[in-house]
């Protein structure tokens, strides 16, 4: 799942411009502040990561993943690779199907407890209360559509070493795991939104004719 960029923290507001005394004014101003450079580098890392995430309409995104039966080093490595990829792509969740692997594994960023891996996840309880909010997806770049989700869920599964995981989640955390669990069943936010937003999203996702 993609992160929404609505809060940028600029903590350099009171940064003094010291030692500007060798600015002769005759070289071109590239406007390369440390902040702009850092932003540029983050964007490069993000693009590189996104290139490794299957993009719609890749068939892997429509396939149902299989239960994991072997808890070996490969699984631990997969979880670590997915965690890094999610962070680099600035996402808050990533499912194995999004990297072309049909295994029931996802990673997500818990907003208080940090990154978590869940293997063979299942939602064992969900609130009757639902909430509709905008969702993005690392496999649907540039798309944000309203999706209705349960406000609270209880998620059970295993970690990459086979240890039991049981999480009671609310709000954003609950939304993210419902989104990622959908991925393991080949379900995308396009299937969960209303007709109007689906049509609009599909229009944006249609390959654009190349300009020559
Ligand atoms: Zn997604």
């Amino acid at each position: 799942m993609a992160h929404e960029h609505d809060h940028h923290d600029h903590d350099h507001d009171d940064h003094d411009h010291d030692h500007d005394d060798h600015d002769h004014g005759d070289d071109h101003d590239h406007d390369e502040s440390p902040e702009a450079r850092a932003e540029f580098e983050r964007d490069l890392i993000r693009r590189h990561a996104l290139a490794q995430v299957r993009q719609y309409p890749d068939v892997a995104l429509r396939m149902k993943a299989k239960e994991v039966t072997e808890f070996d080093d490969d699984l631990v490595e997969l979880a670590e690779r997915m965690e890094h990829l999610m962070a680099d792509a600035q996402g808050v969740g990533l499912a194995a199907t999004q990297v072309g692997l049909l295994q029931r594994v996802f990673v997500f960023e818990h907003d208080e407890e940090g990154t978590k891996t869940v293997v063979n996840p299942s939602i064992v309880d969900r609130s009757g209360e639902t909430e509709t909010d905008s969702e993005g997806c690392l496999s649907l770049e540039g798309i944000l559509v309203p999706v209705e989700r349960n406000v609270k869920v209880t998620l059970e599964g295993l970690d990459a070493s086979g240890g039991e995981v049981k999480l009671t989640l609310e709000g954003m955390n609950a939304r993210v795991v419902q989104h990622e669990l959908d991925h393991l069943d080949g379900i995308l936010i396009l299937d969960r939104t209303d007709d109007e937003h689906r049509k609009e999203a599909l229009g944006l996702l249609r390959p654009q004719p190349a300009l020559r």
Side-chain angles (χ1 to χ4, degrees), residues 3-14 35 38-39 42:
H3 184 67
E4 284 169 56
H5 307 267
D6 17 57
H7 35 80
H8 289 269
D9 290 326
H10 291 285
D11 50 352
H12 299 282
D13 290 346
D14 55 356
E35 292 87 352
E39 179 83 33
R42 272 198 303 276

Side-chain angles (χ1 to χ4, degrees), residues 96-136:
T97 47
Q98 291 180 279
V99 291
L101 293 168
L102 304 183
Q103 298 192 59
R104 300 191 78 80
V105 181
F106 69 68
V107 295
F108 80 102
E109 190 65 26
H110 189 294
D111 62 12
E112 285 171 3
E113 297 172 21
T115 312
K116 292 189 182 290
T117 296
V118 192
V119 181
N120 298 342
S122 64
I123 289 174
V124 296
D125 194 20
R126 49 179 89 224
S127 62
E129 191 189 349
T130 62
E131 192 172 55
T132 300
D133 204 352
S134 285
E135 276 185 32

Side-chain angles (χ1 to χ4, degrees), residues 1-2 53 61 93-95 98 135-140 149 176 179-180 183 187-189:
M1 184 162 167
V53 174
L61 298 172
L94 182 70
Q98 291 180 279
E135 276 185 32
C137 179
L138 294 178
S139 295
L140 298 161
R149 301 284 188 192
V176 174
H179 177 115
E180 300 314 324
H183 270 303
I187 298 166
L188 300 172
I189 52 176

